Amino acid sequence: MSFTPAPWPRRLRSQEWYEGTTKDNIYYRSWMKNQGLPADLFDGRPVIGICNTWSQLTPCNAHLRDLAERVKHGIYEAGGLPLEFPVFSTGESSLRPTAMMYRNLAAMDVEEALRGNPLDGVVLLAGCDKTTPALLMGAASVDIPAIVVSGGPMLNGWFRGERVGSGTALWQMSEAVKAGTMTNADFLEAEQAMSRSPGSCNTMGTASTMASMAEALGMALSGNAAIPAVDSRRRVMAHLTGRRIVQMVKDDLKPSDILTRTAFENAIRVNGAIGGSTNAVIHLLAIAGRVGVDLTLDDWDRCGRDIPTVVNLMPSGKYLMEEFFYAGGLPVVIRALAEAGKIDGGALTVSGGPIAAEVAEVRNWNEDVIRPFDKALTPQGGIAVLRGNLAPDGAVLKPSAASPHLMVHRGRAVVFEDIDDYKARINDEALEIDETCVMVLKNCGPRGYPGMAEVGNMGLPPKVLRKGITDMVRISDARMSGTAYGTVVLHTSPEAARGGPLAVVRTGDMIELDVPNRRLHLDVSDAELARRLADWRSTVVRPSGGWAQLYHDHVDGADTGADMDFLKGCRGRAVARHSH
Ligand code: FES
């Protein structure tokens, strides 16, 4: 895809504020000068926002102010004016009810901050899971030149000689404590080893996946995704990104030039190759919706189906992001896919050139971390999109994180009406459940929770765990942490809180899962299903006031990205003038 740069020099958007001698122009400049900015910085040079999700409440992004300084060096060096600003930071580990409920709020914050201020371009500083899609969604809706710098992953955790993968190890240890194979004292000791350095989760969880998606979409410089947060090369990446955005503004290289259907299809295929998070499904659908690309769930199945998972990282594999970086990182994967004809190497990136050109020289330094295709972890990676009378609008499953023996399974449903019901009964030794059953969790979708919690990989009952069983088929309208694993059917749509068929599953019903044939079936007659649906009444209470109510009333289903109905689309960069 070729790109023709805009002529330069030309009048920039920021000059609507800063150029001239009127009272308004003086007003705009004068207040900025209280920061010690010399007059010639308002001479028509590109004004670049540094959109920072730094927050101590988002520990994965707590080091981003340092990176912002590096971005500023690059911007000044290239002749731009950097202006850093904060936006709502959606921290995965602390935010209740779930960080996902605030992704769209953060995206709205980004969009309005970009449009309302005198900015010509923006560097998006993200890290923790939702911060990357939120920033991309907001920037895409304004469509000024934008580029991502990720915060980078934490260093490997180590505990008693074993790698401790963020999240993944937590779920494993928690199950081991329930099964009686690990003491609580050891669990507490392991806590000290889990988060060794600044950065985001070191597994191929959602943060690493979305950093990889930003790079695969062409919205970050090549190599951005995997550099550890504390590696000096992360600072270099920030510095180079600062330089690059200035040229992008001069060229007027916009998100809409880069975020094409080809870019999304490439990213879906890269997600299959890295064994990326199921959360990427929702986020890419939402980003696509902001630029008017008609991406669907079926694109995920179609594009990802024949892509082998070659990146041997937890939760699908063995290693962590630090080792992925040492092996060559995402550029190695992109080169292999492009050379095999599995992605379109001509897709445009923030570099102004095709993605294949960026990776032409890279080498794979560790073929156990990044496998050749003939030694893939899973021959068919990607995301399986299931349909059937239990999921008319689709559901997803990550084959590389599932158990092969459960990919075709028929079992008796054990139903939990919501997460509180699950918590109240899962440890009950009298619960009639064994490993052949199918655990069903309702009312955890975008509207039901609200925010679509990462509870789809609900833990197994202790009495099953004690038998040494580590996986069962689980079905819900929830999401799953990108660091989690198991034969887990997620995002079942329509969700229970909207009256989808999931809402009327009863304990004792038989459910058939057939991943090879992409089928999810509730074994009751059409007439019985229709009868139950006609009798269904929602038990979900509408939140009273505030963002939660707005979210409940306007959030779309997971099958289309769970964006707000009124935020979809690109509203552009134009802003009404105002006068003082
Ligand atoms: Fe922030 Fe995992 S909790 S990246």
Side-chain angles (χ1 to χ4, degrees):
M1 263 146 260
S2 64
F3 169 72
T4 308
W8 181 260
R10 68 178 190 284
R11 189 170 188 268
L12 292 174
R13 181 174 188 270
S14 57
Q15 293 307 97
E16 290 182 29
W17 282 260
Y18 296 141
E19 184 183 66
T21 54
T22 67
K23 169 180 63 81
D24 280 357
N25 301 135
I26 291 168
Y27 177 92
Y28 292 131
R29 290 190 300 260
S30 166
W31 263 260
M32 291 301 285
K33 286 176 180 171
N34 79 352
Q35 300 177 81
L37 298 172
D40 61 355
L41 290 183
F42 302 93
D43 61 0
R45 67 188 66 203
V47 179
I48 310 293
I50 301 175
C51 177
N52 202 341
T53 50
W54 168 86
S55 168
Q56 285 189 291
L57 291 168
T58 305
C60 313
N61 295 16
H63 61 299
L64 293 187
R65 280 174 128 180
D66 173 62
L67 275 189
E69 292 305 313
R70 303 298 164 151
V71 173
K72 286 178 197 172
H73 291 192
I75 293 171
Y76 275 126
E77 205 175 88
L81 168 59
L83 296 171
E84 183 185 354
F85 64 96
V87 287
F88 188 91
S89 188
T90 46
E92 194 65 35
S93 55
S94 301
L95 206 47
R96 291 183 175 187
T98 161
M100 182 61 181
M101 194 178 94
Y102 303 99
R103 182 201 65 179
N104 301 340
L105 179 64
M108 192 160 69
D109 181 355
V110 173
E111 177 181 346
E112 300 306 331
L114 293 181
R115 187 178 296 113
N117 280 300
L119 298 172
D120 302 309
V122 64
V123 176
L124 306 169
L125 272 180
C128 197
D129 299 15
K130 307 301 176 290
T131 55
T132 303
L135 267 50
L136 281 169
M137 289 161 70
S141 281
V142 182
D143 205 27
I144 59 171
I147 187 169
V148 171
V149 184
S150 302
M154 290 185 248
L155 295 176
N156 282 10
W158 289 97
F159 179 61
R160 298 181 181 169
E162 301 285 337
R163 287 178 187 79
V164 181
S166 314
T168 306
L170 185 69
W171 323 132
Q172 284 167 340
M173 289 176 189
S174 162
E175 299 281 82
V177 169
K178 278 200 250 171
T181 56
M182 184 179 197
T183 66
N184 214 49
D186 285 350
F187 194 13
L188 289 170
E189 198 180 326
E191 177 191 340
Q192 318 310 320
M194 283 179 187
S195 306
R196 262 184 74 211
S197 79
S200 49
C201 287
N202 55 23
T203 39
M204 187 51 80
T206 305
S208 301
T209 300
M210 290 312 299
S212 300
M213 292 297 92
E215 190 173 329
L217 284 166
M219 289 298 295
L221 289 179
S222 187
N224 169 70
I227 308 169
V230 294
D231 193 298
S232 56
R233 286 163 285 188
R234 174 60 60 192
R235 291 174 167 181
V236 173
M237 176 59 67
H239 190 130
L240 295 177
T241 302
R243 285 187 195 163
R244 180 63 203 152
I245 187 66
V246 176
Q247 189 61 42
M248 286 174 68
V249 168
K250 291 178 179 174
D251 293 345
D252 201 23
L253 176 54
K254 308 176 294 297
S256 59
D257 297 315
I258 297 168
L259 294 172
T260 60
R261 167 165 273 280
T262 302
F264 284 101
E265 292 184 350
N266 279 354
I268 289 171
R269 293 181 172 117
V270 169
N271 189 66
I274 64 176
S277 163
T278 47
N279 284 322
V281 177
I282 292 183
H283 298 323
L284 258 59
L285 290 171
I287 297 164
R290 296 300 186 103
V291 285
V293 171
D294 184 23
L295 197 72
T296 67
L297 260 187
D298 292 329
D299 290 318
W300 275 88
D301 202 300
R302 179 179 58 80
C303 296
R305 199 179 258 251
D306 64 340
I307 302 293
T309 298
V310 292
V311 175
N312 187 7
L313 256 60
M314 297 181 204
S316 301
K318 172 177 166 189
Y319 297 103
L320 295 170
M321 287 297 284
E322 194 181 334
E323 284 132 334
F324 186 38
F325 174 58
Y326 300 150
L330 197 70
V332 174
V333 180
I334 290 175
R335 179 179 178 181
L337 290 169
E339 289 183 351
K342 292 181 186 297
I343 62 169
D344 186 337
L348 183 70
T349 79
V350 288
S351 70
I355 195 164
E358 298 290 301
V359 299
E361 304 294 326
V362 298
R363 281 182 57 191
N364 185 351
W365 299 103
N366 188 329
E367 292 199 344
D368 194 37
V369 177
I370 307 174
R371 302 273 188 90
F373 289 127
D374 60 355
K375 294 195 180 109
L377 231 57
T378 311
Q380 289 204 321
I383 303 287
V385 177
L386 310 166
R387 290 189 191 271
N389 67 350
L390 191 45
D393 292 340
V396 303
L397 177 141
K398 181 176 170 182
S400 65
S403 300
H405 73 281
L406 291 173
M407 300 294 256
V408 178
H409 183 80
R410 178 181 156 87
R412 182 175 63 86
V414 175
V415 173
F416 303 97
E417 291 299 324
D418 55 30
I419 193 66
D420 294 326
D421 183 33
Y422 164 79
K423 286 180 177 167
R425 294 196 292 129
I426 192 62
N427 295 327
D428 184 351
E429 294 291 324
L431 183 66
E432 287 188 30
I433 191 166
D434 63 29
E435 60 273 25
T436 66
C437 292
V438 173
M439 297 169 69
V440 175
L441 175 61
K442 303 177 182 176
N443 291 313
C444 291
R447 183 179 287 171
Y449 194 85
M452 204 181 177
E454 291 187 333
V455 293
N457 58 315
M458 59 195 121
L460 308 190
K463 66 180 181 183
V464 172
L465 287 169
R466 284 198 300 272
K467 290 193 226 172
I469 306 290
T470 55
D471 196 10
M472 288 172 63
V473 174
R474 288 157 274 180
I475 299 173
S476 72
D477 46 11
R479 293 177 303 118
M480 168 172 91
S481 164
T483 61
Y485 51 87
T487 310
V488 185
V489 177
L490 303 156
H491 312 180
T492 303
S493 300
E495 63 175 302
R498 287 173 212 262
L502 184 71
V504 297
V505 181
R506 294 177 184 167
T507 293
D509 289 344
M510 296 303 289
I511 292 179
E512 293 168 35
L513 170 67
D514 181 352
V515 179
N517 289 305
R518 304 298 196 250
R519 184 163 180 266
L520 185 64
H521 182 73
L522 178 65
D523 201 359
V524 299
S525 69
D526 291 349
E528 169 65 11
L529 185 56
R531 220 175 0 257
R532 290 188 193 179
L533 287 170
D535 290 343
W536 173 81
R537 297 289 173 272
S538 176
T539 54
V540 171
V541 179
R542 180 182 184 235
S544 140
W547 173 253
Q549 181 183 311
L550 197 64
Y551 184 86
H552 172 277
D553 292 354
H554 291 278
V555 70
D556 274 342
D559 56 309
T560 57
D563 200 357
M564 310 296 275
D565 52 15
F566 60 87
L567 288 178
K568 288 184 175 181
C570 176
R571 284 162 285 281
R573 60 179 83 174
V575 62
R577 285 178 182 278
H578 84 295
S579 208
H580 297 287

PDB file of all heavy atoms in Angstrom, residues 58 60 92-93 127-129 166 200-201 207 483, ligand 1:
ATOM      1  N   THR A  58      -2.117   2.268  38.435  1.00  0.00           N
ATOM      2  CA  THR A  58      -1.919   1.305  37.345  1.00  0.00           C
ATOM      3  C   THR A  58      -0.451   0.911  37.390  1.00  0.00           C
ATOM      4  O   THR A  58       0.373   1.477  36.669  1.00  0.00           O
ATOM      5  CB  THR A  58      -2.271   1.945  35.982  1.00  0.00           C
ATOM      6  OG1 THR A  58      -3.588   2.466  36.046  1.00  0.00           O
ATOM      7  CG2 THR A  58      -2.202   0.932  34.840  1.00  0.00           C
ATOM      8  N   CYS A  60       1.413  -1.258  36.289  1.00  0.00           N
ATOM      9  CA  CYS A  60       2.078  -1.645  35.035  1.00  0.00           C
ATOM     10  C   CYS A  60       2.519  -0.416  34.243  1.00  0.00           C
ATOM     11  O   CYS A  60       3.359  -0.527  33.346  1.00  0.00           O
ATOM     12  CB  CYS A  60       1.132  -2.482  34.184  1.00  0.00           C
ATOM     13  SG  CYS A  60       0.328  -3.784  35.122  1.00  0.00           S
ATOM     14  N   GLU A  92      -5.549  -2.831  35.283  1.00  0.00           N
ATOM     15  CA  GLU A  92      -6.210  -4.136  35.335  1.00  0.00           C
ATOM     16  C   GLU A  92      -6.260  -4.708  36.739  1.00  0.00           C
ATOM     17  O   GLU A  92      -7.243  -5.334  37.136  1.00  0.00           O
ATOM     18  CB  GLU A  92      -5.462  -5.104  34.422  1.00  0.00           C
ATOM     19  CG  GLU A  92      -6.203  -6.375  34.101  1.00  0.00           C
ATOM     20  CD  GLU A  92      -7.459  -6.095  33.278  1.00  0.00           C
ATOM     21  OE1 GLU A  92      -7.448  -5.177  32.443  1.00  0.00           O
ATOM     22  OE2 GLU A  92      -8.455  -6.804  33.499  1.00  0.00           O
ATOM     23  N   SER A  93      -5.178  -4.500  37.507  1.00  0.00           N
ATOM     24  CA  SER A  93      -5.056  -5.260  38.749  1.00  0.00           C
ATOM     25  C   SER A  93      -5.905  -4.705  39.890  1.00  0.00           C
ATOM     26  O   SER A  93      -6.213  -5.437  40.824  1.00  0.00           O
ATOM     27  CB  SER A  93      -3.587  -5.326  39.176  1.00  0.00           C
ATOM     28  OG  SER A  93      -3.049  -4.026  39.277  1.00  0.00           O
ATOM     29  N   GLY A 127       0.381   0.616  28.374  1.00  0.00           N
ATOM     30  CA  GLY A 127       1.039  -0.572  28.920  1.00  0.00           C
ATOM     31  C   GLY A 127       0.025  -1.610  29.326  1.00  0.00           C
ATOM     32  O   GLY A 127      -0.216  -2.582  28.617  1.00  0.00           O
ATOM     33  N   CYS A 128      -0.588  -1.365  30.488  1.00  0.00           N
ATOM     34  CA  CYS A 128      -1.548  -2.335  31.026  1.00  0.00           C
ATOM     35  C   CYS A 128      -2.690  -2.566  30.018  1.00  0.00           C
ATOM     36  O   CYS A 128      -3.043  -1.675  29.234  1.00  0.00           O
ATOM     37  CB  CYS A 128      -2.088  -1.814  32.351  1.00  0.00           C
ATOM     38  SG  CYS A 128      -2.883  -3.089  33.337  1.00  0.00           S
ATOM     39  N   ASP A 129      -3.252  -3.763  30.104  1.00  0.00           N
ATOM     40  CA  ASP A 129      -4.189  -4.298  29.110  1.00  0.00           C
ATOM     41  C   ASP A 129      -5.045  -3.283  28.354  1.00  0.00           C
ATOM     42  O   ASP A 129      -4.976  -3.167  27.133  1.00  0.00           O
ATOM     43  CB  ASP A 129      -5.179  -5.262  29.781  1.00  0.00           C
ATOM     44  CG  ASP A 129      -4.503  -6.455  30.413  1.00  0.00           C
ATOM     45  OD1 ASP A 129      -3.275  -6.441  30.595  1.00  0.00           O
ATOM     46  OD2 ASP A 129      -5.216  -7.412  30.742  1.00  0.00           O
ATOM     47  N   SER A 166       3.442 -13.724  35.055  1.00  0.00           N
ATOM     48  CA  SER A 166       2.386 -12.872  35.629  1.00  0.00           C
ATOM     49  C   SER A 166       1.014 -13.480  35.353  1.00  0.00           C
ATOM     50  O   SER A 166       0.698 -13.803  34.213  1.00  0.00           O
ATOM     51  CB  SER A 166       2.415 -11.479  35.007  1.00  0.00           C
ATOM     52  OG  SER A 166       3.710 -10.970  34.947  1.00  0.00           O
ATOM     53  N   SER A 200       4.604  -4.234  32.428  1.00  0.00           N
ATOM     54  CA  SER A 200       3.323  -4.942  32.366  1.00  0.00           C
ATOM     55  C   SER A 200       3.558  -6.445  32.489  1.00  0.00           C
ATOM     56  O   SER A 200       4.704  -6.895  32.561  1.00  0.00           O
ATOM     57  CB  SER A 200       2.616  -4.585  31.052  1.00  0.00           C
ATOM     58  OG  SER A 200       3.510  -4.737  29.968  1.00  0.00           O
ATOM     59  N   CYS A 201       2.483  -7.207  32.487  1.00  0.00           N
ATOM     60  CA  CYS A 201       2.580  -8.660  32.686  1.00  0.00           C
ATOM     61  C   CYS A 201       3.577  -9.264  31.695  1.00  0.00           C
ATOM     62  O   CYS A 201       3.576  -8.935  30.507  1.00  0.00           O
ATOM     63  CB  CYS A 201       1.214  -9.302  32.501  1.00  0.00           C
ATOM     64  SG  CYS A 201       0.083  -8.963  33.864  1.00  0.00           S
ATOM     65  N   ALA A 207      -1.780  -7.483  27.884  1.00  0.00           N
ATOM     66  CA  ALA A 207      -0.902  -6.324  27.676  1.00  0.00           C
ATOM     67  C   ALA A 207       0.119  -6.612  26.587  1.00  0.00           C
ATOM     68  O   ALA A 207       0.309  -5.809  25.661  1.00  0.00           O
ATOM     69  CB  ALA A 207      -0.207  -5.953  28.978  1.00  0.00           C
ATOM     70  N   THR A 483      -3.643 -14.073  30.525  1.00  0.00           N
ATOM     71  CA  THR A 483      -2.631 -14.916  31.152  1.00  0.00           C
ATOM     72  C   THR A 483      -3.198 -16.269  31.555  1.00  0.00           C
ATOM     73  O   THR A 483      -2.494 -17.109  32.095  1.00  0.00           O
ATOM     74  CB  THR A 483      -2.083 -14.230  32.419  1.00  0.00           C
ATOM     75  OG1 THR A 483      -3.158 -14.051  33.345  1.00  0.00           O
ATOM     76  CG2 THR A 483      -1.487 -12.876  32.099  1.00  0.00           C
TER      77      THR A 483
HETATM   78 FE1  FES B   1      -1.396  -4.709  33.990  1.00  0.00          FE
HETATM   79 FE2  FES B   1      -1.296  -7.410  33.493  1.00  0.00          FE
HETATM   80  S1  FES B   1      -2.204  -6.337  35.189  1.00  0.00           S
HETATM   81  S2  FES B   1      -0.550  -5.760  32.340  1.00  0.00           S
END
